[in-house]
Amino acid sequence: MTRAPNLPASNLPVTRHGFTRDGLALSYLDFGGPAERTLVCLHGRSGCARNFVPLAQALGNAFRIVALDQRGHGWSGHSADGSRAAFVADAATLIRRLDCGPVLLLGHSLGGVNAYQTAARHPDLVRALVVEDIGCRFGPPEAEESWPTRWATLDQFLAFMQATPIGINRLLLDSLHEFDDGWGFRFSDENYRPMRAALTGDWSADWAAIACPVLLLRGETSWALPADEAARMAALNPRCELQSFDAGHVIHDDRPAEFAAALRDFFSRHG
């Protein structure tokens, strides 16, 4: 167990831990708090466990937040296996390792799919679920322009990001790291492509099978979850509550106070 590096000052006792599943090293952050109110968080594509630091600070010690660096991201190892089964098994293994289940579970984007499939396929591990801005049906991935893997200086990296449609994005900055040969991310296109290909399909059966209470959060200006798909999902599972925000795809960054309040309310009723 080590103190987590480069995290903002907080009265939360943040520690980094690791475990191995099928030979792959996986890492997670534990923000401390009551074990009986453990909230496991799964980040989106190109994110990492650090994405949930603001949420942990907003919720204080009311919950014990545990955030996983999912395979191919953050301080976890990289693997050619980007299958649905692999992501679900990683999450299920972490929850069992914590030995305090069933837990509260939150997933954003790619992590949202991983979260609802974990809840559907391992109902004994999850007692309430929050899914942030992602749907159930995905077509084949479109071709994407590859970014550089390294920038010689931080100024070069910032100039590059400012020229992209994404801009200076905190979700990405959490994964920025200074390597021996320059600045880069702790994820890569090489690892993402098989993950995205494996995501292709209709996962509505998993969504309908979720037996615990589920809160589906949608950003009204997001590209990821159209209003009609969100409404279809809410109708497909009678345990689903749907809430929309004046936000984009990363609601927890765009509307942090409202996001935290929605979680408090939902978990107070179902957690």
Short mmCIF file of all heavy atoms in Angstrom, two decimals, residues 164-208:
data_model
loop_
_atom_site.label_atom_id
_atom_site.label_comp_id
_atom_site.label_asym_id
_atom_site.label_seq_id
_atom_site.Cartn_x
_atom_site.Cartn_y
_atom_site.Cartn_z
N THR A 164 -6.92 21.00 -30.69
CA THR A 164 -7.90 19.94 -30.94
C THR A 164 -9.30 20.39 -30.53
O THR A 164 -9.45 21.33 -29.74
CB THR A 164 -7.54 18.67 -30.14
OG1 THR A 164 -7.75 18.93 -28.74
CG2 THR A 164 -6.10 18.24 -30.40
N PRO A 165 -10.35 19.74 -31.04
CA PRO A 165 -11.71 20.08 -30.61
C PRO A 165 -11.93 19.83 -29.12
O PRO A 165 -12.80 20.45 -28.50
CB PRO A 165 -12.59 19.14 -31.45
CG PRO A 165 -11.76 18.77 -32.63
CD PRO A 165 -10.35 18.74 -32.13
N ILE A 166 -11.15 18.93 -28.53
CA ILE A 166 -11.32 18.61 -27.11
C ILE A 166 -10.81 19.73 -26.22
O ILE A 166 -11.40 20.05 -25.19
CB ILE A 166 -10.57 17.29 -26.78
CG1 ILE A 166 -11.22 16.13 -27.52
CG2 ILE A 166 -10.56 17.02 -25.28
CD1 ILE A 166 -10.52 14.81 -27.34
N GLY A 167 -9.72 20.37 -26.62
CA GLY A 167 -9.12 21.42 -25.80
C GLY A 167 -8.42 20.85 -24.58
O GLY A 167 -8.07 19.68 -24.52
N ILE A 168 -8.23 21.70 -23.58
CA ILE A 168 -7.58 21.28 -22.34
C ILE A 168 -8.63 20.61 -21.47
O ILE A 168 -9.43 21.26 -20.81
CB ILE A 168 -6.93 22.47 -21.61
CG1 ILE A 168 -5.97 23.20 -22.54
CG2 ILE A 168 -6.20 22.00 -20.36
CD1 ILE A 168 -4.82 22.35 -23.04
N ASN A 169 -8.63 19.29 -21.48
CA ASN A 169 -9.68 18.49 -20.86
C ASN A 169 -9.15 17.85 -19.59
O ASN A 169 -8.17 17.11 -19.63
CB ASN A 169 -10.14 17.43 -21.87
CG ASN A 169 -11.30 16.59 -21.35
OD1 ASN A 169 -11.14 15.87 -20.38
ND2 ASN A 169 -12.43 16.67 -22.01
N ARG A 170 -9.80 18.09 -18.44
CA ARG A 170 -9.29 17.58 -17.17
C ARG A 170 -9.29 16.06 -17.14
O ARG A 170 -8.38 15.44 -16.55
CB ARG A 170 -10.12 18.12 -16.01
CG ARG A 170 -9.41 18.00 -14.66
CD ARG A 170 -10.36 18.21 -13.50
NE ARG A 170 -11.32 17.14 -13.42
CZ ARG A 170 -11.06 15.94 -12.89
NH1 ARG A 170 -9.85 15.68 -12.41
NH2 ARG A 170 -11.98 15.00 -12.86
N LEU A 171 -10.28 15.43 -17.76
CA LEU A 171 -10.32 13.98 -17.77
C LEU A 171 -9.05 13.41 -18.39
O LEU A 171 -8.46 12.45 -17.88
CB LEU A 171 -11.55 13.50 -18.54
CG LEU A 171 -11.81 12.00 -18.59
CD1 LEU A 171 -13.32 11.73 -18.62
CD2 LEU A 171 -11.17 11.36 -19.81
N LEU A 172 -8.58 14.02 -19.48
CA LEU A 172 -7.35 13.57 -20.12
C LEU A 172 -6.12 13.96 -19.32
O LEU A 172 -5.16 13.19 -19.22
CB LEU A 172 -7.25 14.14 -21.53
CG LEU A 172 -8.27 13.64 -22.55
CD1 LEU A 172 -8.09 14.37 -23.88
CD2 LEU A 172 -8.14 12.15 -22.76
N LEU A 173 -6.14 15.15 -18.74
CA LEU A 173 -4.97 15.61 -17.99
C LEU A 173 -4.66 14.72 -16.80
O LEU A 173 -3.49 14.59 -16.40
CB LEU A 173 -5.18 17.05 -17.52
CG LEU A 173 -5.19 18.13 -18.61
CD1 LEU A 173 -5.40 19.50 -17.98
CD2 LEU A 173 -3.91 18.12 -19.43
N ASP A 174 -5.67 14.08 -16.24
CA ASP A 174 -5.43 13.16 -15.14
C ASP A 174 -4.53 12.00 -15.54
O ASP A 174 -3.90 11.37 -14.69
CB ASP A 174 -6.76 12.60 -14.60
CG ASP A 174 -7.46 13.57 -13.65
OD1 ASP A 174 -6.78 14.43 -13.07
OD2 ASP A 174 -8.69 13.44 -13.50
N SER A 175 -4.49 11.69 -16.84
CA SER A 175 -3.68 10.58 -17.34
C SER A 175 -2.35 11.03 -17.93
O SER A 175 -1.58 10.20 -18.42
CB SER A 175 -4.45 9.80 -18.41
OG SER A 175 -5.56 9.14 -17.84
N LEU A 176 -2.07 12.33 -17.88
CA LEU A 176 -0.81 12.84 -18.42
C LEU A 176 0.34 12.46 -17.48
O LEU A 176 0.23 12.54 -16.27
CB LEU A 176 -0.88 14.35 -18.56
CG LEU A 176 0.33 15.03 -19.19
CD1 LEU A 176 0.53 14.58 -20.63
CD2 LEU A 176 0.16 16.56 -19.13
N HIS A 177 1.46 12.05 -18.10
CA HIS A 177 2.59 11.56 -17.31
C HIS A 177 3.90 11.95 -18.00
O HIS A 177 3.97 11.95 -19.23
CB HIS A 177 2.51 10.04 -17.17
CG HIS A 177 3.58 9.44 -16.32
ND1 HIS A 177 3.56 9.51 -14.95
CD2 HIS A 177 4.70 8.75 -16.64
CE1 HIS A 177 4.62 8.88 -14.46
NE2 HIS A 177 5.33 8.42 -15.46
N GLU A 178 4.91 12.27 -17.21
CA GLU A 178 6.23 12.54 -17.78
C GLU A 178 7.04 11.25 -17.78
O GLU A 178 7.45 10.76 -16.73
CB GLU A 178 6.96 13.62 -16.99
CG GLU A 178 8.28 14.01 -17.65
CD GLU A 178 9.02 15.12 -16.92
OE1 GLU A 178 8.65 15.44 -15.77
OE2 GLU A 178 9.97 15.67 -17.50
N PHE A 179 7.24 10.71 -18.97
CA PHE A 179 8.06 9.51 -19.14
C PHE A 179 9.51 9.92 -19.38
O PHE A 179 9.82 11.11 -19.52
CB PHE A 179 7.54 8.69 -20.33
CG PHE A 179 6.15 8.15 -20.15
CD1 PHE A 179 5.04 8.88 -20.57
CD2 PHE A 179 5.94 6.91 -19.58
CE1 PHE A 179 3.76 8.39 -20.41
CE2 PHE A 179 4.66 6.40 -19.41
CZ PHE A 179 3.57 7.15 -19.83
N ASP A 180 10.40 8.95 -19.45
CA ASP A 180 11.81 9.24 -19.69
C ASP A 180 12.04 9.93 -21.03
O ASP A 180 12.97 10.73 -21.18
CB ASP A 180 12.64 7.95 -19.65
CG ASP A 180 12.72 7.36 -18.24
OD1 ASP A 180 12.47 8.11 -17.28
OD2 ASP A 180 13.02 6.16 -18.12
N ASP A 181 11.16 9.64 -22.02
CA ASP A 181 11.36 10.20 -23.35
C ASP A 181 10.37 11.31 -23.68
O ASP A 181 10.17 11.67 -24.84
CB ASP A 181 11.27 9.10 -24.42
CG ASP A 181 9.94 8.35 -24.37
OD1 ASP A 181 9.21 8.48 -23.37
OD2 ASP A 181 9.64 7.64 -25.35
N GLY A 182 9.71 11.88 -22.68
CA GLY A 182 8.83 13.01 -22.91
C GLY A 182 7.48 12.84 -22.23
O GLY A 182 7.27 11.92 -21.44
N TRP A 183 6.56 13.75 -22.56
CA TRP A 183 5.23 13.74 -21.96
C TRP A 183 4.27 12.90 -22.80
O TRP A 183 4.31 12.94 -24.04
CB TRP A 183 4.70 15.17 -21.84
CG TRP A 183 5.44 16.00 -20.84
CD1 TRP A 183 6.59 16.70 -21.04
CD2 TRP A 183 5.09 16.18 -19.47
NE1 TRP A 183 6.98 17.32 -19.89
CE2 TRP A 183 6.08 17.02 -18.91
CE3 TRP A 183 4.05 15.73 -18.67
CZ2 TRP A 183 6.04 17.41 -17.57
CZ3 TRP A 183 4.00 16.13 -17.34
CH2 TRP A 183 5.00 16.96 -16.80
N GLY A 184 3.41 12.16 -22.14
CA GLY A 184 2.43 11.34 -22.85
C GLY A 184 1.35 10.87 -21.90
O GLY A 184 1.34 11.20 -20.71
N PHE A 185 0.42 10.11 -22.45
CA PHE A 185 -0.70 9.59 -21.66
C PHE A 185 -0.41 8.17 -21.20
O PHE A 185 0.36 7.44 -21.82
CB PHE A 185 -1.99 9.61 -22.48
CG PHE A 185 -2.51 10.98 -22.80
CD1 PHE A 185 -2.56 11.42 -24.11
CD2 PHE A 185 -2.95 11.82 -21.79
CE1 PHE A 185 -3.05 12.69 -24.41
CE2 PHE A 185 -3.44 13.08 -22.07
CZ PHE A 185 -3.48 13.52 -23.40
N ARG A 186 -1.09 7.78 -20.14
CA ARG A 186 -0.96 6.41 -19.64
C ARG A 186 -2.02 5.50 -20.28
O ARG A 186 -2.48 4.55 -19.69
CB ARG A 186 -1.07 6.40 -18.12
CG ARG A 186 0.02 7.23 -17.43
CD ARG A 186 0.01 7.02 -15.94
NE ARG A 186 0.51 5.70 -15.61
CZ ARG A 186 1.75 5.45 -15.19
NH1 ARG A 186 2.63 6.44 -15.08
NH2 ARG A 186 2.13 4.23 -14.90
N PHE A 187 -2.43 5.83 -21.49
CA PHE A 187 -3.27 4.98 -22.31
C PHE A 187 -2.77 5.13 -23.74
O PHE A 187 -1.95 6.01 -24.02
CB PHE A 187 -4.75 5.37 -22.22
CG PHE A 187 -5.05 6.77 -22.64
CD1 PHE A 187 -5.23 7.09 -23.98
CD2 PHE A 187 -5.12 7.80 -21.71
CE1 PHE A 187 -5.49 8.40 -24.37
CE2 PHE A 187 -5.39 9.11 -22.09
CZ PHE A 187 -5.57 9.41 -23.43
N SER A 188 -3.24 4.30 -24.65
CA SER A 188 -2.76 4.40 -26.02
C SER A 188 -3.84 3.96 -26.99
O SER A 188 -4.74 3.19 -26.65
CB SER A 188 -1.52 3.53 -26.23
OG SER A 188 -1.86 2.15 -26.17
N ASP A 189 -3.76 4.48 -28.23
CA ASP A 189 -4.69 4.06 -29.28
C ASP A 189 -4.58 2.56 -29.53
O ASP A 189 -5.57 1.88 -29.81
CB ASP A 189 -4.39 4.80 -30.59
CG ASP A 189 -4.78 6.27 -30.51
OD1 ASP A 189 -5.56 6.63 -29.60
OD2 ASP A 189 -4.31 7.06 -31.35
N GLU A 190 -3.38 2.04 -29.43
CA GLU A 190 -3.15 0.61 -29.68
C GLU A 190 -4.00 -0.26 -28.76
O GLU A 190 -4.54 -1.28 -29.16
CB GLU A 190 -1.67 0.28 -29.50
CG GLU A 190 -1.33 -1.18 -29.75
CD GLU A 190 0.15 -1.48 -29.55
OE1 GLU A 190 0.92 -0.54 -29.29
OE2 GLU A 190 0.52 -2.67 -29.64
N ASN A 191 -4.13 0.17 -27.51
CA ASN A 191 -4.95 -0.59 -26.57
C ASN A 191 -6.43 -0.28 -26.74
O ASN A 191 -7.28 -1.14 -26.49
CB ASN A 191 -4.54 -0.29 -25.13
CG ASN A 191 -3.25 -0.99 -24.77
OD1 ASN A 191 -2.18 -0.39 -24.83
ND2 ASN A 191 -3.32 -2.26 -24.42
N TYR A 192 -6.74 0.97 -27.14
CA TYR A 192 -8.14 1.35 -27.23
C TYR A 192 -8.86 0.66 -28.38
O TYR A 192 -10.02 0.27 -28.25
CB TYR A 192 -8.28 2.87 -27.39
CG TYR A 192 -9.70 3.27 -27.66
CD1 TYR A 192 -10.68 3.12 -26.67
CD2 TYR A 192 -10.10 3.73 -28.91
CE1 TYR A 192 -12.01 3.44 -26.91
CE2 TYR A 192 -11.42 4.06 -29.16
CZ TYR A 192 -12.37 3.91 -28.16
OH TYR A 192 -13.68 4.22 -28.41
N ARG A 193 -8.20 0.48 -29.51
CA ARG A 193 -8.89 -0.05 -30.69
C ARG A 193 -9.56 -1.40 -30.43
O ARG A 193 -10.73 -1.58 -30.80
CB ARG A 193 -7.91 -0.11 -31.87
CG ARG A 193 -7.52 1.29 -32.39
CD ARG A 193 -6.71 1.22 -33.66
NE ARG A 193 -6.29 2.55 -34.09
CZ ARG A 193 -5.07 3.04 -33.94
NH1 ARG A 193 -4.12 2.28 -33.39
NH2 ARG A 193 -4.77 4.25 -34.34
N PRO A 194 -8.87 -2.39 -29.83
CA PRO A 194 -9.59 -3.64 -29.56
C PRO A 194 -10.70 -3.49 -28.53
O PRO A 194 -11.72 -4.20 -28.60
CB PRO A 194 -8.48 -4.58 -29.05
CG PRO A 194 -7.36 -3.70 -28.65
CD PRO A 194 -7.44 -2.50 -29.53
N MET A 195 -10.54 -2.56 -27.58
CA MET A 195 -11.61 -2.30 -26.62
C MET A 195 -12.86 -1.81 -27.34
O MET A 195 -13.98 -2.25 -27.09
CB MET A 195 -11.18 -1.25 -25.61
CG MET A 195 -10.04 -1.61 -24.71
SD MET A 195 -9.65 -0.18 -23.64
CE MET A 195 -8.04 -0.67 -23.03
N ARG A 196 -12.66 -0.84 -28.26
CA ARG A 196 -13.81 -0.26 -28.96
C ARG A 196 -14.45 -1.27 -29.90
O ARG A 196 -15.68 -1.34 -30.02
CB ARG A 196 -13.37 0.99 -29.73
CG ARG A 196 -14.50 1.67 -30.51
CD ARG A 196 -15.64 2.09 -29.59
NE ARG A 196 -16.76 2.64 -30.34
CZ ARG A 196 -17.74 1.90 -30.87
NH1 ARG A 196 -17.73 0.58 -30.73
NH2 ARG A 196 -18.72 2.49 -31.53
N ALA A 197 -13.63 -2.08 -30.57
CA ALA A 197 -14.19 -3.10 -31.45
C ALA A 197 -15.04 -4.10 -30.67
O ALA A 197 -16.11 -4.52 -31.12
CB ALA A 197 -13.07 -3.82 -32.19
N ALA A 198 -14.59 -4.45 -29.47
CA ALA A 198 -15.33 -5.41 -28.64
C ALA A 198 -16.60 -4.81 -28.06
O ALA A 198 -17.50 -5.54 -27.64
CB ALA A 198 -14.43 -5.92 -27.51
N LEU A 199 -16.69 -3.48 -28.05
CA LEU A 199 -17.89 -2.81 -27.54
C LEU A 199 -19.04 -2.86 -28.54
O LEU A 199 -20.20 -2.72 -28.17
CB LEU A 199 -17.56 -1.36 -27.19
CG LEU A 199 -18.61 -0.53 -26.47
CD1 LEU A 199 -18.94 -1.11 -25.11
CD2 LEU A 199 -18.13 0.91 -26.33
N THR A 200 -18.73 -3.09 -29.81
CA THR A 200 -19.74 -3.10 -30.86
C THR A 200 -20.81 -4.16 -30.57
O THR A 200 -20.50 -5.31 -30.26
CB THR A 200 -19.09 -3.41 -32.22
OG1 THR A 200 -18.07 -2.43 -32.48
CG2 THR A 200 -20.11 -3.39 -33.34
N GLY A 201 -22.06 -3.75 -30.63
CA GLY A 201 -23.15 -4.69 -30.38
C GLY A 201 -24.31 -4.03 -29.68
O GLY A 201 -24.30 -2.82 -29.41
N ASP A 202 -25.31 -4.81 -29.38
CA ASP A 202 -26.51 -4.36 -28.66
C ASP A 202 -26.52 -5.06 -27.30
O ASP A 202 -26.70 -6.28 -27.21
CB ASP A 202 -27.76 -4.71 -29.46
CG ASP A 202 -29.04 -4.18 -28.82
OD1 ASP A 202 -29.00 -3.79 -27.63
OD2 ASP A 202 -30.07 -4.17 -29.51
N TRP A 203 -26.33 -4.29 -26.23
CA TRP A 203 -26.23 -4.84 -24.88
C TRP A 203 -27.52 -4.58 -24.09
O TRP A 203 -27.50 -4.56 -22.86
CB TRP A 203 -25.03 -4.24 -24.16
CG TRP A 203 -23.77 -4.34 -24.98
CD1 TRP A 203 -23.10 -3.32 -25.58
CD2 TRP A 203 -23.05 -5.54 -25.31
NE1 TRP A 203 -22.01 -3.79 -26.27
CE2 TRP A 203 -21.95 -5.14 -26.11
CE3 TRP A 203 -23.22 -6.88 -25.00
CZ2 TRP A 203 -21.04 -6.07 -26.61
CZ3 TRP A 203 -22.31 -7.81 -25.50
CH2 TRP A 203 -21.24 -7.40 -26.29
N SER A 204 -28.63 -4.44 -24.81
CA SER A 204 -29.91 -4.16 -24.15
C SER A 204 -30.34 -5.29 -23.20
O SER A 204 -30.99 -5.03 -22.18
CB SER A 204 -31.01 -3.93 -25.19
OG SER A 204 -30.71 -2.81 -26.00
N ALA A 205 -29.98 -6.52 -23.54
CA ALA A 205 -30.36 -7.64 -22.67
C ALA A 205 -29.70 -7.51 -21.31
O ALA A 205 -30.31 -7.81 -20.27
CB ALA A 205 -29.98 -8.96 -23.33
N ASP A 206 -28.44 -7.06 -21.28
CA ASP A 206 -27.78 -6.81 -19.99
C ASP A 206 -28.51 -5.73 -19.22
O ASP A 206 -28.74 -5.85 -18.02
CB ASP A 206 -26.32 -6.40 -20.21
CG ASP A 206 -25.43 -7.58 -20.56
OD1 ASP A 206 -25.51 -8.61 -19.86
OD2 ASP A 206 -24.64 -7.46 -21.51
N TRP A 207 -28.86 -4.64 -19.91
CA TRP A 207 -29.54 -3.53 -19.25
C TRP A 207 -30.86 -3.99 -18.66
O TRP A 207 -31.19 -3.68 -17.51
CB TRP A 207 -29.76 -2.39 -20.24
CG TRP A 207 -30.40 -1.20 -19.62
CD1 TRP A 207 -31.73 -0.87 -19.63
CD2 TRP A 207 -29.75 -0.19 -18.84
NE1 TRP A 207 -31.94 0.29 -18.92
CE2 TRP A 207 -30.75 0.73 -18.43
CE3 TRP A 207 -28.43 0.02 -18.47
CZ2 TRP A 207 -30.45 1.85 -17.65
CZ3 TRP A 207 -28.13 1.15 -17.69
CH2 TRP A 207 -29.13 2.05 -17.29
N ALA A 208 -31.63 -4.75 -19.42
CA ALA A 208 -32.93 -5.21 -18.94
C ALA A 208 -32.80 -6.17 -17.77
O ALA A 208 -33.70 -6.28 -16.94
CB ALA A 208 -33.70 -5.88 -20.08
#
